[in-house]
Amino acid sequence: GAGVSQTPSNKVTEKGKYVELRCDPISGHTALYWYRQSLGQGPEFLIYFQGTGAADDSGLPNDRFFAVRPEGSVSTLKIQRTERGDSAVYLCASSPGATSSYNEQFFGPGTRLTVL
Amino acid sequence: SQELEQSPQSLIVQEGKNLTINCTSSKTLYGLYWYKQKYGEGLIFLMMLQKGGEEKSHEKITAKLDEKKQQSSLHITASQPSHAGIYLCGAARIQGAQKLVFGQGTRLTINP
């Protein structure tokens, strides 16, 4: 079956611009996660959705970052006034939901964001 | 700095050799996950350990979570070129928490 998909795969933008990154989770998965991975580092948690609501947004670095999941499926990560330090691979993951304590998170291929 | 420390950071082994990667935390780990990542790709789930002393195997890869739940090891037997990639450990810091913290990864190269 289809896995987690992310679009675009690559995004190059200029400093100060606005970008949107999209994530399509596995069908039926109620939990969705965004992580950011810098070169040579492990993924860093940004935000977690359970259904339509953000259950934990403690990883968002500042108010330039915002994410939505209006219908409980597709999610969009929005970054305003991009800075060069925002350059990273943005990973999305989904899992079946909080039916048990720990769920395997299925990751998408990521969106590589480059801010010039 | 990463909350989970992985060692070694990189590893080069000859095909057919065994190897071990470690993941260490100063705090109790809950739901310890091992993932593999190839350059430019997402993370591929390998195994999840939850209970202290637990051990799981899949093909030639074995993962263990120590009794105190503060360290995990990933062991590969008779390594193959297909094992090459970056291995990442991830864990929940709070019991029942959904977000994961990750180590910095271990880059594994297999020489033929």
Side-chain angles (χ1 to χ4, degrees), chain A residues 54-67:
Chain A
D56 185 346
D57 64 357
S58 61
L60 295 178
N62 51 59
D63 61 5
R64 294 187 298 106
F65 288 74
F66 190 71

Side-chain angles (χ1 to χ4, degrees), chain A residues 67-91:
Chain A
V68 296
R69 195 186 184 198
E71 298 179 357
S73 178
V74 171
S75 176
T76 304
L77 178 66
K78 307 179 180 189
I79 311 174
Q80 298 177 323
R81 304 182 305 280
T82 52
E83 300 177 356
R84 293 193 179 89
D86 298 335
S87 297
V89 175
Y90 287 81
L91 295 165

Side-chain angles (χ1 to χ4, degrees), chain B residues 29-61:
Chain B
L29 304 173
Y30 298 97
L32 190 286
Y33 299 75
W34 282 100
Y35 285 89
K36 179 184 175 185
Q37 185 176 33
K38 293 213 165 183
Y39 181 77
E41 299 179 13
L43 281 63
I44 300 168
F45 173 79
L46 296 175
M47 276 171 279
M48 191 270 279
L49 306 166
Q50 189 172 332
K51 300 176 182 177
E54 187 174 9
E55 178 176 324
K56 288 186 177 178
S57 292
H58 176 66
E59 297 180 345
K60 295 184 178 180
I61 301 176

Side-chain angles (χ1 to χ4, degrees), chain B residues 40-89:
Chain B
E41 299 179 13
L43 281 63
I44 300 168
F45 173 79
L46 296 175
M47 276 171 279
M48 191 270 279
L49 306 166
Q50 189 172 332
K51 300 176 182 177
E54 187 174 9
E55 178 176 324
K56 288 186 177 178
S57 292
H58 176 66
E59 297 180 345
K60 295 184 178 180
I61 301 176
T62 300
K64 302 179 185 179
L65 183 61
D66 80 355
E67 290 288 343
K68 294 183 178 179
K69 296 173 67 177
Q70 291 187 232
Q71 184 174 7
S72 178
S73 61
L74 186 81
H75 184 77
I76 299 178
T77 304
S79 58
Q80 301 170 351
S82 61
H83 289 130
I86 299 172
Y87 289 81
L88 292 154
C89 65

Side-chain angles (χ1 to χ4, degrees), chain A residues 24-70:
Chain A
D24 270 281
I26 292 173
S27 178
H29 281 191
T30 59
L32 185 145
Y33 314 79
W34 283 99
Y35 293 85
R36 177 169 70 173
Q37 186 175 25
S38 300
L39 191 63
Q41 300 295 317
E44 175 188 20
F45 171 79
L46 295 176
I47 186 170
Y48 152 59
F49 287 89
Q50 182 60 43
T52 60
D56 185 346
D57 64 357
S58 61
L60 295 178
N62 51 59
D63 61 5
R64 294 187 298 106
F65 288 74
F66 190 71
V68 296
R69 195 186 184 198

